[in-house]
Coordinates of all heavy atoms in Angstrom, one line a residue:
M4 N 19.5 12.4 26.9 CA 19.2 11.4 25.8 C 20.5 11.1 25.1 O 21.3 12.0 24.6 CB 18.2 12.0 24.8 CG 17.9 11.3 23.6 SD 16.4 11.8 22.8 CE 15.6 10.2 22.9
T5 N 20.8 9.8 24.9 CA 22.0 9.5 24.3 C 21.9 9.1 22.8 O 20.7 9.0 22.3 CB 22.6 8.2 25.0 OG1 21.7 7.1 24.8 CG2 22.8 8.4 26.5
V6 N 22.9 8.9 22.2 CA 22.9 8.6 20.7 C 22.2 7.2 20.5 O 21.4 7.0 19.6 CB 24.3 8.5 20.2 CG1 24.4 8.0 18.7 CG2 25.0 9.9 20.3
G7 N 22.4 6.3 21.5 CA 21.7 5.0 21.5 C 20.2 5.1 21.5 O 19.5 4.4 20.8
D8 N 19.7 6.1 22.3 CA 18.2 6.3 22.4 C 17.7 6.8 21.1 O 16.6 6.4 20.7 CB 18.0 7.3 23.6 CG 18.3 6.7 25.0 OD1 18.3 5.5 25.1 OD2 18.6 7.5 25.9
I9 N 18.5 7.8 20.6 CA 18.0 8.3 19.3 C 17.9 7.3 18.2 O 17.0 7.2 17.4 CB 18.9 9.5 18.9 CG1 18.7 10.6 19.9 CG2 18.6 10.0 17.5 CD1 19.7 11.8 19.7
G10 N 19.0 6.5 18.2 CA 19.0 5.4 17.2 C 17.9 4.4 17.4 O 17.2 3.9 16.4
Q11 N 17.5 4.0 18.6 CA 16.4 3.2 19.0 C 15.1 3.8 18.5 O 14.2 3.1 17.9 CB 16.3 2.9 20.5 CG 15.2 2.1 20.9 CD 15.3 0.6 20.4 OE1 16.4 0.2 20.0 NE2 14.1 0.0 20.2
L12 N 14.9 5.1 18.7 CA 13.6 5.8 18.2 C 13.6 5.8 16.7 O 12.5 5.6 16.2 CB 13.6 7.3 18.7 CG 13.4 7.4 20.2 CD1 13.5 9.0 20.6 CD2 11.9 6.9 20.6
M13 N 14.7 5.9 16.0 CA 14.7 5.9 14.6 C 14.4 4.6 14.1 O 13.7 4.3 13.1 CB 16.0 6.4 14.1 CG 16.2 7.9 14.2 SD 17.8 8.5 13.6 CE 17.7 8.1 11.9
R14 N 14.9 3.5 14.7 CA 14.7 2.1 14.4 C 13.2 1.8 14.5 O 12.6 1.1 13.6 CB 15.5 1.2 15.2 CG 16.6 0.5 14.5 CD 17.3 -0.7 15.3 NE 17.5 -0.4 16.7 CZ 18.6 0.3 17.1 NH1 19.5 0.8 16.3 NH2 18.8 0.5 18.4
E15 N 12.6 2.2 15.6 CA 11.2 1.9 15.9 C 10.4 2.6 14.8 O 9.3 2.0 14.4 CB 10.8 2.4 17.3 CG 11.4 1.5 18.4 CD 11.1 2.1 19.7 OE1 10.3 3.0 19.9 OE2 11.5 1.5 20.7
G16 N 10.7 3.9 14.5 CA 10.0 4.6 13.5 C 10.0 4.0 12.2 O 8.9 3.8 11.4
I17 N 11.1 3.5 11.7 CA 11.3 2.9 10.4 C 10.5 1.6 10.4 O 9.9 1.2 9.4 CB 12.8 2.7 10.1 CG1 13.4 4.1 9.8 CG2 13.0 1.8 8.9 CD1 15.0 4.0 9.7
F18 N 10.6 0.8 11.5 CA 9.9 -0.5 11.6 C 8.3 -0.2 11.4 O 7.7 -1.0 10.8 CB 10.3 -1.2 12.9 CG 9.4 -2.4 13.1 CD1 9.8 -3.6 12.4 CD2 8.3 -2.5 14.0 CE1 9.0 -4.8 12.5 CE2 7.6 -3.6 14.2 CZ 7.9 -4.8 13.4
Q19 N 7.8 0.9 12.1 CA 6.4 1.2 12.0 C 6.1 1.5 10.5 O 5.0 1.1 10.1 CB 6.1 2.4 12.9 CG 6.2 2.1 14.4 CD 5.2 1.0 14.8 OE1 4.1 0.9 14.4 NE2 5.7 0.1 15.8
V20 N 6.9 2.3 9.9 CA 6.6 2.5 8.4 C 6.5 1.2 7.6 O 5.6 1.1 6.8 CB 7.7 3.5 7.9 CG1 7.6 3.6 6.4 CG2 7.6 4.9 8.5
F21 N 7.5 0.3 7.8 CA 7.5 -0.9 7.1 C 6.3 -1.7 7.5 O 5.6 -2.3 6.6 CB 8.8 -1.8 7.3 CG 10.0 -1.2 6.6 CD1 11.1 -1.2 7.2 CD2 9.9 -0.6 5.4 CE1 12.3 -0.7 6.6 CE2 11.0 -0.1 4.8 CZ 12.2 -0.1 5.4
L22 N 5.9 -1.8 8.7 CA 4.8 -2.6 9.2 C 3.5 -2.0 8.5 O 2.6 -2.8 8.1 CB 4.7 -2.5 10.8 CG 3.5 -3.3 11.4 CD1 3.8 -4.7 11.2 CD2 3.5 -2.8 12.8
L23 N 3.4 -0.8 8.5 CA 2.1 -0.1 7.9 C 2.1 -0.2 6.4 O 1.0 -0.3 5.9 CB 1.9 1.3 8.4 CG 1.7 1.4 9.9 CD1 1.7 2.9 10.3 CD2 0.5 0.7 10.4
C24 N 3.2 -0.1 5.7 CA 3.2 -0.1 4.2 C 3.2 -1.5 3.6 O 2.8 -1.6 2.5 CB 4.4 0.6 3.8 SG 4.4 2.5 4.1
A25 N 3.7 -2.5 4.3 CA 3.9 -3.8 3.7 C 2.6 -4.4 3.2 O 2.6 -5.0 2.1 CB 4.6 -4.7 4.8
P26 N 1.5 -4.5 4.0 CA 0.3 -5.1 3.4 C -0.2 -4.4 2.1 O -0.7 -5.1 1.2 CB -0.8 -5.0 4.5 CG 0.0 -4.7 5.8 CD 1.3 -4.0 5.4
V27 N -0.2 -3.2 2.2 CA -0.7 -2.4 1.0 C 0.2 -2.6 -0.2 O -0.3 -2.9 -1.3 CB -0.9 -0.9 1.3 CG1 -1.4 -0.1 0.2 CG2 -1.9 -0.7 2.5
L28 N 1.4 -2.5 0.0 CA 2.4 -2.5 -1.1 C 2.5 -4.0 -1.6 O 2.5 -4.3 -2.9 CB 3.8 -2.2 -0.7 CG 3.9 -0.6 -0.5 CD1 5.3 -0.3 -0.1 CD2 3.5 0.1 -1.7
G29 N 2.4 -5.0 -0.7 CA 2.3 -6.4 -1.1 C 1.1 -6.8 -2.0 O 1.2 -7.5 -2.9
A30 N 0.0 -6.2 -1.6 CA -1.3 -6.4 -2.4 C -1.1 -5.9 -3.8 O -1.5 -6.4 -4.8 CB -2.5 -5.9 -1.7
A31 N -0.6 -4.6 -3.8 CA -0.4 -4.0 -5.1 C 0.6 -4.8 -6.0 O 0.4 -4.8 -7.2 CB 0.2 -2.6 -4.9
V32 N 1.7 -5.3 -5.4 CA 2.7 -6.1 -6.2 C 2.0 -7.4 -6.7 O 2.2 -7.8 -7.9 CB 3.9 -6.4 -5.2 CG1 4.7 -7.5 -5.9 CG2 4.7 -5.1 -5.0
I33 N 1.2 -8.0 -5.9 CA 0.6 -9.3 -6.4 C -0.5 -9.0 -7.5 O -0.4 -9.6 -8.5 CB -0.3 -9.9 -5.1 CG1 0.8 -10.4 -4.2 CG2 -1.2 -11.0 -5.6 CD1 0.3 -10.9 -2.9
I34 N -1.3 -7.9 -7.4 CA -2.2 -7.5 -8.5 C -1.4 -7.1 -9.7 O -1.8 -7.5 -10.8 CB -3.1 -6.4 -7.9 CG1 -4.0 -6.9 -6.9 CG2 -3.9 -5.8 -9.1 CD1 -5.0 -8.1 -7.3
G35 N -0.3 -6.4 -9.6 CA 0.5 -6.1 -10.7 C 1.1 -7.3 -11.4 O 1.2 -7.3 -12.6
L36 N 1.5 -8.2 -10.6 CA 2.0 -9.5 -11.2 C 0.9 -10.3 -12.0 O 1.2 -10.8 -13.1 CB 2.6 -10.4 -10.1 CG 3.3 -11.7 -10.5 CD1 4.4 -11.4 -11.4 CD2 3.7 -12.5 -9.3
I37 N -0.3 -10.3 -11.4 CA -1.4 -11.0 -12.0 C -1.7 -10.3 -13.4 O -1.9 -11.0 -14.4 CB -2.6 -11.1 -11.1 CG1 -2.3 -12.0 -10.0 CG2 -3.8 -11.5 -11.8 CD1 -3.4 -12.0 -8.8
V38 N -1.8 -8.9 -13.3 CA -2.1 -8.2 -14.6 C -0.9 -8.4 -15.6 O -1.2 -8.5 -16.8 CB -2.4 -6.7 -14.3 CG1 -2.5 -5.9 -15.5 CG2 -3.7 -6.6 -13.5
A39 N 0.2 -8.4 -15.1 CA 1.4 -8.6 -16.1 C 1.3 -10.0 -16.7 O 1.6 -10.1 -17.9 CB 2.7 -8.4 -15.3
I40 N 1.0 -11.0 -16.0 CA 0.8 -12.3 -16.5 C -0.3 -12.3 -17.5 O -0.2 -12.9 -18.6 CB 0.6 -13.3 -15.4 CG1 1.9 -13.6 -14.6 CG2 0.2 -14.7 -16.0 CD1 1.8 -14.4 -13.4
F41 N -1.3 -11.7 -17.1 CA -2.6 -11.6 -18.1 C -2.1 -10.9 -19.4 O -2.6 -11.3 -20.5 CB -3.7 -10.9 -17.5 CG -4.8 -10.6 -18.4 CD1 -5.7 -11.6 -18.7 CD2 -5.0 -9.3 -18.8 CE1 -6.7 -11.3 -19.5 CE2 -6.1 -9.0 -19.7 CZ -7.0 -10.1 -20.1
Q42 N -1.4 -9.8 -19.2 CA -0.9 -9.1 -20.5 C 0.1 -9.9 -21.3 O 0.0 -10.0 -22.5 CB -0.2 -7.8 -20.0 CG -1.2 -6.7 -19.6 CD -0.4 -5.5 -19.3 OE1 0.7 -5.5 -18.7 NE2 -0.9 -4.4 -19.7
A43 N 0.9 -10.7 -20.7 CA 1.8 -11.6 -21.4 C 1.1 -12.7 -22.1 O 1.4 -13.0 -23.3 CB 2.8 -12.2 -20.5
I44 N 0.0 -13.3 -21.5 CA -0.8 -14.4 -22.1 C -1.6 -13.9 -23.3 O -1.6 -14.5 -24.4 CB -1.6 -15.0 -21.1 CG1 -0.9 -15.7 -20.1 CG2 -2.7 -15.9 -21.7 CD1 -1.6 -16.3 -18.9
T45 N -2.2 -12.7 -23.2 CA -3.1 -12.2 -24.2 C -2.3 -11.3 -25.2 O -3.0 -10.8 -26.2 CB -4.2 -11.4 -23.6 OG1 -3.7 -10.3 -22.8 CG2 -5.0 -12.3 -22.7
S46 N -1.1 -11.0 -25.0 CA -0.3 -10.1 -25.8 C -0.9 -8.7 -25.9 O -0.6 -7.9 -26.8 CB -0.2 -10.6 -27.3 OG 0.5 -11.8 -27.3
I47 N -1.5 -8.2 -24.9 CA -2.0 -6.8 -24.7 C -0.9 -6.0 -24.0 O -0.5 -6.4 -22.8 CB -3.3 -6.8 -23.8 CG1 -4.3 -7.5 -24.5 CG2 -3.7 -5.3 -23.6 CD1 -5.7 -7.7 -23.7
Q48 N -0.3 -5.1 -24.7 CA 0.8 -4.3 -24.2 C 0.5 -3.0 -23.8 O 1.2 -2.0 -23.9 CB 2.0 -4.4 -25.1 CG 2.5 -5.8 -25.4 CD 2.9 -6.5 -24.1 OE1 3.5 -6.0 -23.2 NE2 2.6 -7.8 -24.0
E49 N -0.7 -2.8 -23.2 CA -1.2 -1.4 -22.8 C -0.6 -1.2 -21.5 O -0.8 -1.8 -20.4 CB -2.7 -1.4 -22.8 CG -3.3 -0.1 -22.3 CD -2.9 1.0 -23.3 OE1 -2.8 0.8 -24.5 OE2 -2.7 2.1 -22.9
Q50 N 0.2 -0.1 -21.3 CA 0.8 0.2 -20.1 C -0.1 0.7 -19.0 O 0.2 0.6 -17.8 CB 2.0 1.3 -20.3 CG 3.0 0.7 -21.2 CD 3.8 -0.5 -20.6 OE1 4.0 -0.5 -19.4 NE2 4.1 -1.4 -21.4
T51 N -1.2 1.4 -19.4 CA -2.1 2.0 -18.5 C -3.1 0.9 -17.9 O -3.8 1.2 -17.0 CB -2.9 3.2 -19.1 OG1 -3.6 2.7 -20.3 CG2 -2.0 4.2 -19.5
L52 N -3.1 -0.3 -18.4 CA -4.0 -1.3 -17.9 C -3.7 -1.7 -16.5 O -4.7 -2.1 -15.8 CB -3.8 -2.6 -18.8 CG -4.8 -3.7 -18.5 CD1 -6.3 -3.2 -18.8 CD2 -4.5 -4.9 -19.5
T53 N -2.5 -1.6 -16.0 CA -2.3 -2.0 -14.6 C -2.6 -1.0 -13.7 O -2.6 -1.3 -12.4 CB -0.7 -2.3 -14.5 OG1 0.0 -1.2 -14.8 CG2 -0.3 -3.4 -15.4
F54 N -2.8 0.3 -14.1 CA -3.0 1.4 -13.1 C -4.3 1.2 -12.3 O -4.3 1.3 -11.1 CB -3.0 2.7 -13.9 CG -3.2 3.9 -13.0 CD1 -2.3 4.3 -12.2 CD2 -4.5 4.6 -13.0 CE1 -2.4 5.4 -11.3 CE2 -4.7 5.6 -12.2 CZ -3.6 6.0 -11.3
L55 N -5.5 1.0 -13.0 CA -6.7 1.0 -12.3 C -6.8 -0.3 -11.3 O -7.3 0.0 -10.2 CB -7.9 0.9 -13.3 CG -9.3 0.9 -12.7 CD1 -9.5 2.3 -12.0 CD2 -10.3 0.8 -13.8
P56 N -6.5 -1.5 -11.7 CA -6.6 -2.6 -10.7 C -5.6 -2.3 -9.5 O -6.0 -2.6 -8.3 CB -5.9 -3.8 -11.4 CG -6.2 -3.5 -12.9 CD -6.1 -2.0 -13.0
K57 N -4.4 -1.7 -9.7 CA -3.6 -1.5 -8.6 C -4.2 -0.4 -7.7 O -4.2 -0.4 -6.4 CB -2.2 -1.0 -9.1 CG -1.3 -2.1 -9.5 CD 0.1 -1.5 -9.9 CE 0.9 -2.5 -10.5 NZ 2.3 -1.9 -10.8
L58 N -4.8 0.6 -8.3 CA -5.4 1.8 -7.5 C -6.5 1.2 -6.7 O -6.7 1.6 -5.5 CB -5.9 2.9 -8.4 CG -6.6 4.0 -7.9 CD1 -5.7 4.8 -7.0 CD2 -7.1 5.0 -9.0
L59 N -7.4 0.4 -7.3 CA -8.5 -0.1 -6.6 C -8.1 -1.1 -5.5 O -8.7 -1.0 -4.4 CB -9.5 -0.9 -7.6 CG -10.2 0.0 -8.6 CD1 -11.0 -0.8 -9.5 CD2 -11.1 1.1 -7.9
T60 N -7.1 -1.8 -5.7 CA -6.5 -2.7 -4.7 C -6.0 -1.9 -3.5 O -6.3 -2.2 -2.3 CB -5.4 -3.6 -5.2 OG1 -5.9 -4.3 -6.3 CG2 -4.8 -4.5 -4.2
I61 N -5.2 -0.9 -3.8 CA -4.6 0.0 -2.7 C -5.8 0.7 -1.9 O -5.8 0.6 -0.7 CB -3.7 1.0 -3.3 CG1 -2.5 0.4 -3.7 CG2 -3.4 2.1 -2.2 CD1 -1.5 1.2 -4.5
L62 N -6.8 1.1 -2.6 CA -8.0 1.7 -1.9 C -8.7 0.7 -1.0 O -9.1 1.0 0.1 CB -8.9 2.4 -2.9 CG -8.4 3.7 -3.6 CD1 -9.3 4.2 -4.6 CD2 -8.0 4.8 -2.5
L63 N -9.0 -0.5 -1.6 CA -9.7 -1.5 -0.8 C -8.7 -1.9 0.4 O -9.4 -2.1 1.5 CB -9.8 -2.8 -1.8 CG -10.5 -3.9 -1.0 CD1 -11.9 -3.5 -0.7 CD2 -10.4 -5.1 -2.0
M64 N -7.5 -2.0 0.2 CA -6.6 -2.4 1.4 C -6.6 -1.3 2.5 O -6.7 -1.6 3.7 CB -5.2 -2.7 1.0 CG -5.0 -3.9 0.1 SD -5.5 -5.5 0.9 CE -4.1 -5.5 2.1
L65 N -6.6 -0.1 2.0 CA -6.7 1.0 3.0 C -8.0 1.0 3.7 O -8.1 1.3 4.9 CB -6.4 2.3 2.3 CG -5.0 2.6 1.9 CD1 -4.9 3.9 1.0 CD2 -4.0 2.6 3.1
A66 N -9.1 0.7 3.0 CA -10.5 0.6 3.7 C -10.5 -0.5 4.6 O -11.1 -0.3 5.7 CB -11.5 0.5 2.6
L67 N -10.0 -1.6 4.3 CA -10.0 -2.8 5.1 C -9.1 -2.7 6.4 O -9.4 -3.1 7.5 CB -9.7 -4.1 4.4 CG -10.7 -4.5 3.3 CD1 -10.2 -5.7 2.5 CD2 -12.1 -4.9 4.0
L68 N -7.9 -2.2 6.2 CA -6.8 -2.2 7.2 C -6.7 -0.8 7.8 O -5.8 -0.7 8.7 CB -5.6 -2.6 6.6 CG -5.5 -4.0 6.0 CD1 -4.1 -4.3 5.4 CD2 -5.7 -5.0 7.1
G69 N -7.5 0.2 7.4 CA -7.4 1.5 8.0 C -7.5 1.6 9.5 O -6.8 2.3 10.2
G70 N -8.4 0.9 10.1 CA -8.6 0.8 11.5 C -7.4 0.3 12.2 O -7.0 0.9 13.2
W71 N -7.0 -0.8 11.7 CA -5.7 -1.4 12.3 C -4.5 -0.4 12.2 O -3.8 -0.3 13.2 CB -5.4 -2.8 11.6 CG -4.1 -3.3 11.9 CD1 -3.8 -3.9 13.2 CD2 -2.9 -3.3 11.2 NE1 -2.4 -4.3 13.1 CE2 -2.0 -3.9 12.0 CE3 -2.6 -2.8 9.9 CZ2 -0.6 -4.1 11.4 CZ3 -1.3 -3.0 9.5 CH2 -0.3 -3.6 10.2
M72 N -4.4 0.1 11.0 CA -3.2 1.1 10.8 C -3.3 2.3 11.8 O -2.3 2.7 12.4 CB -3.2 1.6 9.3 CG -2.9 0.6 8.3 SD -3.0 1.3 6.7 CE -2.0 0.1 5.8
F73 N -4.5 2.7 11.9 CA -4.7 3.9 12.8 C -4.4 3.5 14.3 O -3.7 4.2 15.0 CB -6.1 4.4 12.7 CG -6.4 5.6 13.7 CD1 -5.8 6.8 13.4 CD2 -7.1 5.4 14.9 CE1 -6.0 7.9 14.4 CE2 -7.3 6.4 15.7 CZ -6.8 7.6 15.5
G74 N -4.7 2.3 14.6 CA -4.5 1.8 16.0 C -3.0 1.6 16.3 O -2.5 2.0 17.3
V75 N -2.2 1.1 15.3 CA -0.8 0.9 15.4 C -0.2 2.3 15.5 O 0.7 2.6 16.4 CB -0.2 0.2 14.2 CG1 1.3 0.2 14.2 CG2 -0.8 -1.3 14.3
M76 N -0.6 3.3 14.7 CA 0.0 4.6 14.7 C -0.3 5.3 16.0 O 0.6 6.0 16.6 CB -0.5 5.5 13.6 CG 0.2 5.1 12.2 SD -0.2 6.3 10.9 CE -2.0 6.1 10.7
R77 N -1.5 5.1 16.4 CA -2.0 5.7 17.7 C -1.1 5.2 18.9 O -0.6 6.0 19.8 CB -3.4 5.4 18.0 CG -4.0 6.0 19.3 CD -5.5 5.7 19.4 NE -6.0 6.1 20.6 CZ -6.0 5.4 21.7 NH1 -5.5 4.2 21.7 NH2 -6.4 5.9 22.9
T78 N -1.0 3.9 19.0 CA -0.1 3.3 20.1 C 1.3 3.8 20.0 O 1.9 4.2 21.0 CB -0.1 1.7 20.0 OG1 -1.6 1.3 20.0 CG2 0.6 1.1 21.0
Y79 N 1.9 3.8 18.8 CA 3.3 4.2 18.6 C 3.4 5.7 19.1 O 4.4 6.1 19.8 CB 3.7 4.1 17.2 CG 5.1 4.6 17.0 CD1 6.2 4.0 17.5 CD2 5.4 5.8 16.3 CE1 7.5 4.5 17.4 CE2 6.6 6.3 16.1 CZ 7.7 5.6 16.6 OH 8.9 6.1 16.4
T80 N 2.5 6.5 18.6 CA 2.6 8.0 18.9 C 2.4 8.2 20.5 O 3.0 9.0 21.0 CB 1.4 8.7 18.2 OG1 1.6 8.5 16.9 CG2 1.5 10.2 18.5
I81 N 1.5 7.5 21.1 CA 1.3 7.6 22.6 C 2.6 7.2 23.3 O 3.0 7.9 24.2 CB 0.0 6.8 23.0 CG1 -1.2 7.5 22.6 CG2 0.1 6.7 24.6 CD1 -2.5 6.6 22.8
N82 N 3.1 6.1 22.8 CA 4.4 5.7 23.5 C 5.5 6.7 23.3 O 6.3 7.0 24.2 CB 4.9 4.3 23.0 CG 3.9 3.2 23.4 OD1 3.3 3.3 24.4 ND2 3.9 2.1 22.6
L83 N 5.6 7.2 22.1 CA 6.6 8.3 21.8 C 6.4 9.5 22.7 O 7.3 10.1 23.2 CB 6.6 8.6 20.3 CG 7.6 9.5 19.8 CD1 9.0 8.7 19.9 CD2 7.4 9.9 18.3
L84 N 5.2 9.9 22.8 CA 4.8 11.1 23.6 C 5.1 10.9 25.1 O 5.5 11.8 25.8 CB 3.5 11.6 23.3 CG 3.2 12.2 21.9 CD1 1.7 12.5 21.7 CD2 4.0 13.4 21.7
E85 N 4.8 9.7 25.5 CA 5.1 9.4 27.0 C 6.6 9.4 27.2 O 6.9 9.5 28.4 CB 4.5 8.1 27.2 CG 3.0 8.0 27.4 CD 2.4 6.7 27.6 OE1 3.1 5.7 27.5 OE2 1.2 6.6 27.9
Q86 N 7.5 9.3 26.3 CA 8.8 9.3 26.5 C 9.5 10.7 26.5 O 10.7 10.8 27.0 CB 9.6 8.4 25.4 CG 9.3 6.9 25.4 CD 10.0 6.3 24.3 OE1 10.8 6.9 23.5 NE2 9.7 5.0 24.1
I87 N 8.7 11.7 26.2 CA 9.2 13.0 26.1 C 9.8 13.5 27.5 O 10.8 14.1 27.6 CB 8.1 14.0 25.6 CG1 8.0 13.7 24.1 CG2 8.6 15.4 25.8 CD1 7.0 14.6 23.4
P88 N 9.0 13.3 28.6 CA 9.6 13.7 29.9 C 11.0 13.1 30.2 O 11.8 13.8 30.8 CB 8.5 13.4 30.9 CG 7.3 13.2 30.1 CD 7.7 12.8 28.8
A89 N 11.1 11.9 29.8 CA 12.5 11.2 30.1 C 13.6 11.8 29.3 O 14.7 11.7 29.6 CB 12.3 9.8 29.8
M90 N 13.2 12.4 28.2 CA 14.2 13.0 27.3 C 14.8 14.3 27.7 O 15.9 14.6 27.5 CB 13.6 13.2 25.8 CG 13.3 12.0 25.1 SD 12.6 12.4 23.6 CE 11.8 10.8 23.1
G91 N 14.1 15.0 28.5 CA 14.6 16.3 29.0 C 15.5 16.3 30.1 O 16.2 15.6 30.7

């Protein structure tokens, strides 16, 4: 196993992390922005107001995309484990 192979494995792993986190974090950012605009319009400056909508959004996104996320992680893990004999 060369340094290039290790770099490729690390690149693929980091890409998988970004791929799986992006939808959930994107939805949380959008909800946070909407709540921030609402707070600015109504002059409500309660810092804890953004917590519950973001939490519910993250839970909803995980419930909706959980199957897809598991499938992506499963495929990546199987591919990674299939490469073990070639590494030795």
Side-chain angles (χ1 to χ4, degrees):
M4 174 164 239
T5 65
V6 175
D8 294 336
I9 294 171
Q11 180 66 24
L12 288 175
M13 290 178 64
R14 246 188 322 276
E15 289 175 6
I17 291 170
F18 177 74
Q19 292 297 322
V20 169
F21 286 143
L22 180 69
L23 295 174
C24 291
V27 176
L28 293 177
V32 166
I33 291 170
I34 293 298
L36 183 62
I37 291 169
V38 171
I40 291 171
F41 174 75
Q42 285 181 320
I44 291 172
T45 59
S46 298
I47 298 173
Q48 297 303 319
E49 180 63 34
Q50 296 298 319
T51 58
L52 183 63
T53 62
F54 181 72
L55 186 61
K57 282 184 189 178
L58 179 66
L59 293 176
T60 301
I61 290 171
L62 291 175
L63 179 67
M64 291 298 290
L65 288 175
L67 292 175
L68 299 176
W71 170 75
M72 290 176 161
F73 179 75
V75 170
M76 285 190 296
R77 180 179 174 270
T78 303
Y79 176 71
T80 303
I81 289 172
N82 289 339
L83 190 63
L84 292 175
E85 286 175 348
Q86 292 178 8
I87 289 177
M90 292 178 194

